[in-house]
Every structure is written in structure tokens, then in C-alpha cells.
Amino acid sequence: MSDYWANFIRTGNPNGDGLAHFPASSGNKSAMWLGEYVGAGPITVSEERISFLRRWMSHLHEY
């Protein structure tokens, strides 16, 4: 994960040599998996949970 962040900070693109391709976000309901499986894959949580997380994260700046 740190290599993706470093590449993104340095170039604006998280991809680099030796890393699984990190596709650009396109609203296609996919996410980057960085664990046992490394690569783009489907988001496996419900729309309700995603909506909750978006609402919760939008309020973080208040704290």
C-alpha cells in the first residue's frame, strides 16, 4: 500500500513497476484489494453500508 501512496504523491498515479494495476475510479463499483488477492475487484458491501460510510466520513471534519 505504501508503494501505491508514494507513487500517487510523486506522480499523481499510484501504479508502478512490480505493482498490480490500480485502475482509475470510474464509478463502476469496484475497489482495489490489497491482501491475499491483489488487484481490482467488485465492492462486496451493501449500498446501505456504503451510504452510511459516506455520511459518516462527510462529518469527520466537524471533529
Side-chain angles (χ1 to χ4, degrees), residues 31-50:
M32 190 65 176
W33 295 96
L34 301 171
E36 254 183 76
Y37 167 78
V38 177
I43 295 176
T44 58
V45 297
S46 69
E47 287 292 328
E48 181 180 1
R49 183 173 282 182
I50 292 170

Side-chain angles (χ1 to χ4, degrees), residues 1-15 19:
M1 184 68 204
S2 62
D3 288 339
Y4 287 108
W5 277 113
N7 289 341
F8 183 72
I9 291 166
R10 191 172 39 253
T11 68
N13 182 343
N15 296 300
L19 298 173

